[in-house]
Amino acid sequence: MFPTRKYALVHARLIEAGVIRPADCVEPEPASWSDLALVHTAAYLAKMRDGTMSPEDTAQLELPWSPEMVEGFRLMTGGTIQAALIACFGTQRPQSAQSQTILAGSAGVAFQVVGHLGGGLHHAFPNHGEGFCPFNDVAVAARVLQARGLERIAIVDLDVHHGNGTAFTFEADPRVFTCSMHQQHNYPMWKPRGSLDIGLPDGAHDATFLRELERALPAVMAHAPQCVFYLAGADPYEDDQLGGLRLTKDGLRRRDRLVIDAVREAGIPLVITLAGGYARRVEDTVAIHCATIEEAVLASPS
Ligand SMILES: [Zn+2]
């Protein structure tokens, strides 16, 4: 079962704790079918739109098809697109009455961080969905930016699971640098090669993770991206039900700070998505995601 409760809890907690104000939040529009077609095949989108997926398709997606499911994930993809547009251009599409929320910083500066309280659907491939991910929101948003003239993009994926769909999507596009650091012996079995893949051993702790990340980030920034997407999965956490790494909450917060600082030093826009998080106690997942946003706010130009 895909845990959707965390999104509302993260939003509520951030407001309650005064990390963000309601006025900082923007309600996105669902991604258009033509935006989705920048990544996904026409045949796959037709199946999603018309509900003509086979039992094998839904088994692989691990979600039952319904019009609400499709609309929910179109909205989630729209949130990442909009976060990317605000981060890079300071533009917002008109508001809607939907339930997704993004946090918007001030526009018109070089380093700008915008968080989408959702997204990070990195297991979606152009022609099929997998592992709770019908559409690859970050891949679609990267293509939207490219269509608007931003060529060089980096994707830093620190979810405990390899970003298989993202790596596959950009395999033949040297303009997009995909970096995934993940638990090697975990889903997905097949890990298409990204620009930089770091498979960590089972049970890796904070020190290993942070050391590898410190080595990886200069390679990412050497690509000279014009925008960085960060998938800040909460599932490398030691008490995650789907993860086998042993990061503490403090280690995860230091992870976030390393990524944010590297992008800030480069002076380019940063788009944060939450990605996975399946701690035994949902409060832990919520606390980890909130810490990511808190670090982003602390780093934001005032
Ligand atoms: Zn994950």
Side-chain angles (χ1 to χ4, degrees):
M1 180 62 207
F2 184 69
T4 51
R5 203 158 67 91
K6 71 175 185 180
Y7 300 113
L9 290 172
V10 168
H11 178 245
R13 173 78 63 84
L14 289 170
I15 301 270
E16 210 176 86
V19 175
I20 59 170
R21 296 159 303 165
D24 295 325
C25 297
V26 177
E27 307 263 351
E29 294 285 314
S32 67
W33 290 98
S34 58
D35 281 346
L36 295 174
L38 294 171
V39 167
H40 296 287
T41 63
Y44 174 58
L45 291 178
K47 283 201 274 186
M48 287 296 284
R49 199 174 44 228
D50 306 335
T52 51
M53 296 171 65
S54 69
E56 293 74 27
D57 291 334
T58 43
Q60 194 172 26
L61 179 56
E62 298 182 62
L63 289 171
W65 186 91
S66 70
E68 294 75 24
M69 183 275 282
V70 175
E71 286 311 293
F73 282 100
R74 277 215 301 142
L75 184 58
M76 194 170 274
T77 304
T80 302
I81 293 171
Q82 196 163 345
L85 290 175
I86 295 170
C88 295
F89 303 107
T91 56
Q92 298 181 9
R93 290 181 187 176
Q95 295 203 6
S96 77
Q98 303 287 355
S99 62
Q100 286 284 309
T101 308
I102 62 175
L103 158 70
S106 57
V109 291
F111 170 71
Q112 161 108 311
V113 52
V114 179
H116 173 206
L117 304 183
L121 307 168
H122 57 171
H123 301 311
F125 285 71
N127 69 350
H128 73 273
E130 259 187 56
F132 310 141
C133 302
F135 307 123
N136 196 315
D137 60 311
V138 169
V140 171
R143 289 291 188 221
V144 167
L145 292 184
Q146 286 183 325
R148 293 200 174 204
L150 255 79
E151 289 284 305
R152 305 178 68 81
I153 289 163
I155 299 171
V156 177
D157 186 340
L158 303 183
D159 189 278
V160 80
H161 304 102
H162 179 257
N164 55 345
T166 312
F168 184 86
T169 300
F170 296 112
E171 209 169 27
D173 186 347
R175 300 169 303 168
V176 180
F177 190 98
T178 58
C179 169
S180 178
M181 194 155 95
H182 47 269
Q183 181 189 5
Q184 186 62 25
H185 300 295
N186 198 333
Y187 171 89
M189 286 290 284
W190 180 54
K191 298 175 177 65
R193 221 165 87 186
S195 312
L196 177 58
D197 290 308
I198 301 162
L200 297 172
D202 296 353
H205 290 87
D206 290 346
T208 308
F209 191 100
L210 296 172
R211 189 181 63 232
E212 291 295 330
L213 181 58
E214 276 181 323
R215 281 162 37 125
L217 286 171
V220 174
M221 301 319 295
H223 176 68
Q226 295 161 288
C227 174
V228 174
F229 289 87
Y230 171 33
L231 286 78
D235 49 12
Y237 179 52
E238 56 192 348
D239 203 31
D240 194 272
Q241 299 171 87
L242 300 185
L245 298 184
R246 301 288 302 278
L247 269 71
T248 64
K249 285 181 187 163
D250 180 57
L252 287 162
R253 187 186 277 271
R254 285 192 284 152
R255 169 198 72 165
D256 297 335
R257 213 175 290 151
L258 281 175
V259 176
I260 292 165
D261 285 350
V263 179
R264 184 171 54 180
E265 274 163 35
I268 54 172
L270 172 63
V271 182
I272 299 178
T273 63
L274 299 186
Y278 319 92
R280 251 167 278 277
R281 296 158 17 103
V282 71
E283 307 89 87
D284 288 340
T285 299
V286 170
I288 293 162
H289 287 318
C290 286
T292 303
I293 300 299
E294 199 179 346
E295 289 300 322
V297 169
L298 287 171
S300 289
S302 51

